[in-house]
Coordinates of all heavy atoms in Angstrom, one line a residue:
N78 N 91.9 93.7 103.4 CA 92.9 94.6 104.1 C 94.1 93.8 104.7 O 94.7 94.4 105.6 CB 92.1 95.4 105.2 CG 92.9 96.6 105.7 OD1 93.2 97.4 104.9 ND2 93.1 96.7 107.1
H176 N 99.5 104.0 108.2 CA 99.6 103.2 107.0 C 98.3 102.6 106.8 O 97.7 101.9 107.6 CB 100.7 102.1 107.3 CG 101.2 101.6 106.0 ND1 102.2 100.6 105.9 CD2 101.0 101.8 104.6 CE1 102.6 100.4 104.7 NE2 101.8 101.1 103.9
T198 N 105.4 104.6 106.6 CA 106.5 103.9 106.4 C 106.7 103.4 105.0 O 107.8 102.9 104.5 CB 106.5 102.6 107.2 OG1 105.2 102.0 107.1 CG2 106.8 102.9 108.7
Q202 N 110.8 103.8 104.1 CA 111.1 102.4 104.5 C 110.8 101.5 103.3 O 110.9 100.3 103.5 CB 110.5 101.9 105.8 CG 111.2 102.5 107.1 CD 111.0 104.0 107.2 OE1 109.9 104.5 107.1 NE2 112.1 104.8 107.4
C203 N 110.3 102.0 102.2 CA 109.8 101.0 101.2 C 110.0 101.5 99.8 O 111.1 101.4 99.3 CB 108.3 100.8 101.5 SG 107.5 99.8 100.3
R363 N 110.0 97.2 97.6 CA 110.8 97.5 98.8 C 112.2 97.7 98.3 O 113.0 96.7 98.2 CB 110.8 96.5 99.8 CG 111.3 97.1 101.2 CD 111.3 96.1 102.3 NE 112.6 95.3 102.3 CZ 113.6 95.8 103.0 NH1 113.6 96.8 103.7 NH2 114.7 95.1 103.0
Y453 N 98.4 105.3 113.6 CA 97.3 104.5 113.1 C 97.9 103.3 112.3 O 98.5 103.6 111.2 CB 96.3 105.4 112.4 CG 95.3 104.5 111.6 CD1 94.2 104.1 112.4 CD2 95.4 104.2 110.2 CE1 93.3 103.2 111.8 CE2 94.4 103.4 109.7 CZ 93.4 102.9 110.5 OH 92.4 102.1 109.9
A454 N 97.6 102.1 112.6 CA 97.9 100.9 111.8 C 99.2 100.8 111.3 O 99.5 100.4 110.1 CB 96.8 100.8 110.7
T455 N 100.2 101.2 112.1 CA 101.6 100.9 111.8 C 102.3 100.7 113.1 O 102.2 101.4 114.1 CB 102.2 102.1 111.0 OG1 103.6 101.9 110.8 CG2 102.0 103.5 111.7
N456 N 103.1 99.5 113.1 CA 103.8 99.1 114.3 C 105.2 99.6 114.2 O 106.1 99.0 113.7 CB 103.8 97.6 114.5 CG 104.5 97.1 115.7 OD1 105.0 97.9 116.5 ND2 104.4 95.8 115.9
Q459 N 108.4 97.7 114.8 CA 108.9 96.7 113.8 C 109.2 97.3 112.4 O 110.0 96.8 111.6 CB 107.8 95.7 113.5 CG 107.4 94.8 114.8 CD 108.5 93.8 115.1 OE1 109.4 93.5 114.4 NE2 108.3 93.1 116.2
A460 N 108.5 98.4 112.1 CA 108.7 99.0 110.8 C 109.8 100.0 110.5 O 110.3 100.1 109.5 CB 107.3 99.5 110.3
V480 N 96.4 103.3 117.5 CA 95.2 102.8 117.0 C 95.5 101.4 116.3 O 96.2 101.5 115.3 CB 94.4 103.6 116.1 CG1 93.1 103.1 115.8 CG2 94.4 105.1 116.7
D481 N 95.2 100.3 116.9 CA 95.6 99.0 116.3 C 94.5 98.1 116.5 O 93.5 98.3 117.1 CB 96.9 98.5 116.9 CG 97.7 97.7 116.0 OD1 97.2 96.6 115.5 OD2 98.9 98.1 115.5
V483 N 95.6 94.7 117.4 CA 96.1 93.8 118.4 C 97.1 94.5 119.3 O 97.7 95.7 119.0 CB 96.9 92.6 117.7 CG1 96.0 91.7 116.9 CG2 98.1 93.2 116.8
E497 N 90.8 99.2 117.0 CA 89.9 99.4 115.8 C 89.2 98.1 115.5 O 89.7 97.0 115.8 CB 90.8 99.8 114.6 CG 89.8 100.2 113.5 CD 90.4 100.7 112.2 OE1 91.6 100.7 111.9 OE2 89.6 101.3 111.4
R503 N 83.8 96.8 109.2 CA 83.7 98.3 109.1 C 83.5 98.8 107.7 O 83.9 98.1 106.8 CB 84.9 98.9 109.8 CG 86.1 98.7 109.1 CD 87.3 99.3 109.7 NE 88.5 99.4 108.9 CZ 89.8 98.9 109.2 NH1 89.9 98.3 110.4 NH2 90.7 99.0 108.3
M636 N 116.4 90.3 103.9 CA 115.0 89.9 104.3 C 114.0 90.0 103.2 O 114.3 90.6 102.1 CB 114.6 90.8 105.5 CG 114.5 92.3 105.1 SD 114.8 93.3 106.5 CE 116.6 93.3 106.6
R638 N 109.6 88.5 102.2 CA 108.2 88.3 102.6 C 107.9 86.8 102.7 O 108.4 86.0 101.9 CB 107.3 88.9 101.6 CG 107.5 90.5 101.5 CD 107.0 91.2 102.6 NE 107.2 92.6 102.6 CZ 108.0 93.3 103.3 NH1 108.6 92.7 104.3 NH2 108.2 94.6 103.2
F644 N 104.0 91.8 106.7 CA 104.9 92.5 107.7 C 104.8 91.8 109.0 O 104.9 90.6 109.1 CB 104.5 94.0 107.8 CG 104.2 94.6 106.5 CD1 103.0 95.4 106.4 CD2 105.0 94.7 105.4 CE1 102.7 96.1 105.2 CE2 104.8 95.4 104.2 CZ 103.6 96.0 104.2
S645 N 104.6 92.7 110.0 CA 104.5 92.2 111.4 C 103.1 92.2 111.9 O 102.8 92.1 113.1 CB 105.4 93.1 112.3 OG 104.7 94.2 112.7
G646 N 102.1 92.3 111.0 CA 100.8 92.5 111.5 C 99.9 91.3 111.4 O 98.6 91.4 111.7
H710 N 110.6 89.0 107.1 CA 110.4 90.0 108.1 C 109.0 89.8 108.9 O 108.1 89.3 108.1 CB 110.4 91.3 107.4 CG 109.8 92.5 108.2 ND1 110.5 92.9 109.3 CD2 108.8 93.3 108.0 CE1 109.8 93.9 109.9 NE2 108.8 94.2 109.1
T729 N 113.7 90.8 112.2 CA 114.6 91.5 111.4 C 114.8 92.9 112.0 O 115.9 93.5 112.0 CB 114.2 91.6 109.9 OG1 113.0 92.4 109.9 CG2 114.1 90.3 109.3
I733 N 118.3 95.5 113.0 CA 118.6 96.7 112.1 C 118.9 97.9 113.0 O 118.1 98.8 113.3 CB 117.5 97.1 111.1 CG1 117.3 95.8 110.2 CG2 117.7 98.2 110.2 CD1 116.1 95.8 109.3
Ligands
MGD802 N1 113.0 95.4 109.4 C1 112.1 95.6 108.3 N2 111.5 96.7 108.4 C2 110.5 97.1 107.4 C3 110.3 96.2 106.3 C4 111.1 95.0 106.3 O1 111.1 94.2 105.4 N3 112.0 94.8 107.3 N4 109.5 96.6 105.3 C5 109.1 98.0 105.1 C6 108.0 98.0 104.3 S1 108.2 97.6 102.7 C7 106.8 98.5 104.7 S2 105.6 98.8 103.6 C8 106.6 98.8 106.1 C9 105.2 98.3 106.6 O2 105.1 98.8 107.9 P1 103.7 98.7 108.7 O3 102.5 99.0 107.8 O4 103.9 99.6 109.8 O5 103.6 97.2 109.0 P2 103.4 96.4 110.4 O6 104.7 96.4 111.2 O7 102.8 95.1 110.0 O8 102.4 97.2 111.2 C10 101.1 97.2 110.8 C11 100.2 97.4 112.2 O9 98.8 97.6 111.7 C12 98.1 96.8 112.6 N5 96.8 96.6 111.7 C13 96.5 95.6 111.0 N6 95.3 95.8 110.4 C14 94.8 96.8 111.1 C15 93.5 97.5 111.0 O10 92.6 97.2 110.2 N7 93.4 98.7 111.7 C16 94.4 99.1 112.6 N8 94.3 100.3 113.3 N9 95.6 98.5 112.7 C17 95.7 97.4 111.9 C18 98.9 95.6 112.8 O11 98.3 94.9 113.9 C19 100.3 96.1 113.0 O12 100.5 96.4 114.2 O13 107.6 98.3 106.9 C20 108.9 98.6 106.5 N10 109.9 98.2 107.5

Side-chain angles (χ1 to χ4, degrees):
N78 196 52
H176 202 179
T198 50
Q202 282 70 47
C203 176
R363 194 185 90 87
Y453 173 77
T455 175
N456 184 355
Q459 295 286 354
V480 189
D481 208 300
V483 295
E497 190 175 20
R503 67 184 195 232
M636 64 207 77
R638 303 285 177 248
F644 321 124
S645 81
H710 168 63
T729 60
I733 297 168

